[in-house]
Amino acid sequence: MKTKLVKVSDLKLGSVIANDIKANTQYPIIYKNTKITREHLPVLKAFQISQVTIISSPLGSNKIENEDDGLIPIEQENIIDSASIMPFERKYIDVVNKIKKEFINWESGSKVNITKVRTYILPLIDLVLENRDKIFTLNEFSTSEDYIYHHSVAISLICAVIAQKMGYSKGDILQIAIAGAVADCGMAKINKKIREKTGPLTEYEFKEIQEHPYYSLQMINSITILKQEMKIAVYQHHERLDGSGYPRGEKGSKISIFSHIIAVADVFHAMTCERIYQSKESPFKVLEMIRETEFGKFNIQVVQALMTCVTDLPLGSKVELSNGLEASIIFTNKTSPTRPVIKVVESNEIIDLSKYRNIYIERLILER
């Protein structure tokens, strides 16, 4: 294998790194055999890497081809504007309002119209599967007054992303997403005063809340286009591996993998949102809490699938830190994805968040 040393300023997209590139971090900032993309450039610049060793004759599969040498010079790369005609937030709010109308109908005794729910949700599912980082901003749209409607839509979208990350087929992804959307439809049968109570629930009220998975199953049981395993997932989505969940206190292998997908999506969104009795919380901090303090309650594969969505965030992604400063992600810590290496916008200071536990990412800043 032939290699050559090149200046970063002469580096071309599609070049393959010959050796691990190391800096003052726990792991290499770019690994051997990595194909250079535009996302790697701010990393090299941030760590003041002026030269890198590349494979001089990369295989065709590692090239981004053009008419000259098969590699695209960095300065000639075309930037594609992928901004949608209608902002995601507006589409999301529109779907929440439609689900709210359906929920009010369920309160009045109407049957679940799964065709309507499916029609409302599908366009959003397609959007988040293409842009998985959207799931880290859903809590910003939710309000305490309309939380239950936001929650139904958000669970659906997060379920879709988790299922995609776990390698399920498009058909199963859509099935679990629809199941997630109606997982809490049974809450329509719970007294509104109990649902919206600001103080502690009485033992009777808590037991009534714990009945909602059963009510949900009753409401969807006759729907033929929803697979039986998805109906079971709806019924079991508050069960936990250690037997601490409800309604039956099932444990271990008695809880289906699809139940765990809805469970993780449910808890993740619930813990991040402003509610009547809690303030909004950082999605990144909540992920750490799920992995650390809730260990043993959820299927680890499902939790890991959600965690890897953080590692998928493009380098250069803008974030707001818990101390109020804005920064950009310049390197992802594979073993601690919620704590990447960041560069503070104001000072250009580089901070490895895995070494500073008192600072965390408060929120992801996306282009609207």
Side-chain angles (χ1 to χ4, degrees):
M1 180 181 69
K2 293 182 179 181
T3 63
K4 64 179 179 180
L5 190 66
V6 298
K7 293 180 179 179
V8 170
S9 58
D10 296 329
L11 194 60
K12 296 181 179 180
L13 297 182
S15 298
V16 178
I17 298 300
N19 304 305
D20 289 345
I21 301 176
K22 296 182 179 179
N24 188 27
T25 56
Q26 189 174 0
Y27 301 98
I29 59 170
I30 300 178
Y31 285 87
K32 177 182 178 180
N33 293 328
T34 297
K35 183 175 66 176
I36 290 296
T37 68
R38 178 164 288 276
E39 293 175 354
H40 294 113
L41 303 183
V43 178
L44 295 170
K45 183 179 179 181
F47 286 100
Q48 299 180 336
I49 305 295
S50 59
Q51 295 179 316
V52 296
T53 304
I54 64 171
I55 298 173
S56 58
S57 300
L59 296 175
S61 59
N62 285 331
K63 295 180 181 179
I64 301 177
E65 296 184 0
N66 73 353
E67 293 180 355
D68 300 320
D69 57 6
L71 299 173
I72 299 178
I74 289 168
E75 66 272 14
Q76 292 181 8
E77 185 202 23
N78 291 323
I79 299 175
I80 300 172
D81 181 9
S82 59
S84 53
I85 298 172
M86 188 177 183
F88 173 79
E89 180 179 355
R90 204 182 312 161
K91 293 180 180 180
Y92 169 85
I93 296 299
D94 181 57
V95 173
V96 168
N97 288 331
K98 289 176 179 176
I99 292 296
K100 181 177 181 178
K101 290 179 181 178
E102 292 302 304
F103 193 92
I104 292 170
N105 290 336
W106 301 337
E107 286 180 312
S108 302
S110 297
K111 291 183 178 180
V112 174
N113 187 329
I114 205 72
T115 302
K116 271 189 177 182
V117 173
R118 187 177 186 275
T119 302
Y120 298 154
I121 292 290
L122 278 183
L124 281 184
I125 292 173
D126 289 337
L127 284 175
V128 296
L129 291 181
E130 291 176 6
N131 302 279
R132 290 192 289 261
D133 52 9
K134 298 291 187 188
I135 66 171
F136 297 112
T137 64
L138 296 178
N139 67 322
E140 297 181 23
F141 309 145
S142 183
T143 63
S144 57
E145 297 82 7
D146 285 342
Y147 164 76
I148 196 165
Y149 320 119
H150 283 270
H151 193 52
S152 296
V153 177
I155 289 178
S156 175
L157 302 182
I158 298 167
C159 280
V161 167
I162 293 174
Q164 184 191 53
K165 292 293 290 183
M166 293 180 72
Y168 283 101
S169 67
K170 185 64 180 292
D172 280 340
I173 290 171
L174 296 180
Q175 280 278 319
I176 191 63
I178 301 306
V182 296
D184 281 343
C185 66
M187 290 293 285
K189 303 304 178 186
I190 306 296
N191 189 300
K192 193 172 184 179
K193 290 182 179 179
I194 297 177
R195 290 200 321 253
E196 298 180 354
K197 187 175 180 180
T198 56
L201 296 176
T202 65
E203 184 179 353
Y204 166 78
E205 290 168 339
F206 187 62
K207 285 183 177 179
E208 182 63 17
I209 290 288
Q210 289 183 324
E211 289 295 314
H212 84 267
Y214 172 70
Y215 297 142
S216 294
L217 179 61
Q218 278 189 320
M219 293 169 69
I220 65 172
N221 216 13
S222 61
I223 297 174
T224 56
I225 64 172
L226 200 60
K227 293 180 179 179
Q228 186 62 27
E229 54 261 50
M230 301 304 167
K231 296 173 185 177
I232 293 172
V234 166
Y235 181 61
Q236 290 187 332
H237 78 279
H238 280 288
E239 302 286 5
R240 300 292 181 261
L241 276 177
D242 61 2
S244 63
Y246 62 86
R248 296 176 60 88
E250 301 283 18
K251 61 171 64 176
S253 61
K254 290 186 177 180
I255 306 170
S256 80
I257 190 68
F258 293 118
S259 305
H260 283 295
I261 291 176
I262 299 180
V264 170
D266 171 58
V267 168
F268 173 68
H269 185 254
M271 290 175 69
T272 61
C273 283
E274 175 188 356
R275 299 170 72 176
I276 294 172
Y277 50 83
Q278 77 176 34
S279 57
K280 186 168 60 177
E281 187 61 271
S282 158
F284 300 89
K285 189 175 180 181
V286 166
L287 274 176
E288 292 180 0
M289 293 166 65
I290 291 174
R291 188 171 69 168
E292 296 167 10
T293 65
E294 300 294 312
F295 183 78
K297 294 187 176 184
F298 303 104
N299 181 288
I300 191 64
Q301 289 178 299
V302 176
V303 174
Q304 192 58 34
L306 184 56
M307 292 290 290
T308 58
C309 291
V310 182
T311 62
D312 288 345
L313 291 176
L315 299 178
S317 293
K318 296 290 187 290
V319 296
E320 181 183 317
L321 303 178
S322 55
N323 58 12
L325 295 177
E326 287 191 11
S328 59
I329 297 174
I330 61 172
F331 177 68
T332 301
N333 288 314
K334 299 293 182 182
T335 57
S336 188
T338 56
R339 294 187 165 274
V341 178
I342 55 92
K343 184 177 182 180
V344 179
V345 172
E346 187 177 301
S347 64
N348 285 332
E349 180 185 5
I350 295 173
I351 302 174
D352 185 346
L353 293 179
S354 67
K355 297 178 180 179
Y356 294 87
R357 305 296 294 185
N358 60 319
I359 305 173
Y360 57 87
I361 295 176
E362 184 66 48
R363 68 184 185 94
L364 183 65
I365 302 173
L366 294 181
E367 296 287 337
R368 293 288 178 87

